[in-house]
Amino acid sequence: DADVTQTPRNRITKTGKRIMLECSQTKGHDRMYWYRQDPGLGLRLIYYSFDVKDINKGEISDGYSVSRQAQAKFSLSLESAIPNQTALYFCATEASPNEQFFGPGTRLTVL
Amino acid sequence: KQEVTQIPAALSVPEGENLVLNCSFTDSAIYNLQWFRQDPGKGLTSLLLIQSSQREQTSGRLNASLDKSSGRSTLYIAASQPGDSATYLCAVDTGNQFYFGTGTSLTVIP
């Protein structure tokens, strides 16, 4: 079984809809991250969490929110999706401070 | 703000050639630097992690070096194979965040 899983793997939604992307990990790491990847822009940090009670904004947090439900779960929400949020979204974990381990990604399309 | 640059953006080499990928960063205050591989539409796979106190790390045909003072890292791939074709990304860890380069797309021609 994969150490970091993301659901759904693919999602197509319409402008204005609320959508949640979920991430689960079995690595026992405290630190978790959400990134988006766009062609030519690399990976950009949306939010990160160093433990269950800790939430921090990243470079591009506007239009997104997160919830750290447990050490193993970190969810990303788009409150009202817009087309420029179409991207590949990655969740990652880190044993602090050390390597990051990535999930397989969620491809989100907002029409 | 830390900025990470990878040059070249794309590279095509014949099979068997040795090659070097470059990564530069603007702020030398880093905890570590990590190299990843990404296949099209897939997640990132960690290749090598270099702690700030280290100069290099090796794994099989891969060797990564780090020069903090000059803000540079290189990934050396020996005897390249078609299966090495992928995008390679570097990321620097400032302790709070990772900053990624935009990657080098490598094609190894059989």
Side-chain angles (χ1 to χ4, degrees):
Chain A
D1 287 341
D3 295 319
V4 184
T5 58
Q6 293 183 233
T7 56
R9 295 293 315 281
N10 288 282
R11 179 72 182 266
I12 300 173
T13 192
K14 295 182 178 180
T15 297
K17 294 291 188 181
R18 185 178 189 275
I19 183 169
M20 178 181 288
L21 309 182
E22 299 187 348
C23 176
S24 295
Q25 53 121 344
T26 59
K27 300 188 76 67
H29 292 164
D30 287 325
R31 296 187 174 196
M32 297 187 75
Y33 301 78
W34 274 106
Y35 295 91
R36 67 177 278 176
Q37 187 177 36
D38 300 274
L41 294 178
L43 276 82
R44 292 181 292 167
L45 182 63
I46 306 172
Y47 271 96
Y48 61 103
S49 169
F50 286 173
D51 63 44
V52 175
K53 297 181 180 180
D54 177 73
I55 300 290
N56 303 282
K57 292 183 177 181
E59 180 185 359
I60 53 164
S61 59
D62 288 348
Y64 302 94
S65 63
V66 291
S67 173
R68 185 80 183 268
Q69 301 95 320
Q71 185 200 43
K73 295 184 181 296
F74 192 35
S75 299
L76 176 72
S77 294
L78 286 67
E79 300 301 325
S80 179
I82 56 177
N84 76 1
Q85 291 178 313
T86 293
L88 192 55
Y89 288 84
F90 288 105
C91 172
T93 73
E94 181 197 7
S96 128
N98 215 314
E99 290 181 84
Q100 282 202 322
F101 298 89
F102 280 76
T106 294
R107 186 169 298 281
L108 176 65
T109 303
V110 184
L111 302 176
Chain B
K1 177 192 167 187
Q2 180 74 264
E3 293 186 3
V4 182
T5 303
Q6 291 186 247
I7 295 174
L11 181 63
S12 183
V13 299
E15 181 177 3
E17 192 164 297
N18 302 327
L19 60 101
V20 175
L21 306 180
N22 297 294
C23 172
S24 61
F25 47 96
T26 54
D27 188 342
S28 62
I30 67 171
Y31 276 80
N32 60 53
L33 185 144
Q34 195 169 354
W35 281 93
F36 294 90
R37 169 189 172 131
Q38 185 177 25
D39 293 288
K42 305 289 186 181
L44 280 69
T45 301
S46 178
L47 297 173
L48 288 164
L49 173 73
I50 311 177
Q51 303 288 355
S52 62
S53 58
Q54 298 174 319
R55 299 284 293 183
E56 65 180 278
Q57 280 286 336
T58 298
S59 176
R61 294 183 294 109
L62 306 180
N63 176 277
S65 68
L66 175 64
D67 184 341
K68 273 184 56 177
S69 60
S70 66
R72 297 181 186 219
S73 176
T74 62
L75 179 66
Y76 174 83
I77 302 177
S80 59
Q81 303 171 357
D84 294 331
S85 298
T87 296
Y88 292 80
L89 297 102
C90 66
V92 297
D93 180 6
T94 62
N96 285 331
Q97 297 186 27
F98 281 71
Y99 292 88
F100 285 80
T102 52
T104 294
S105 177
L106 173 66
T107 302
V108 180
I109 304 167

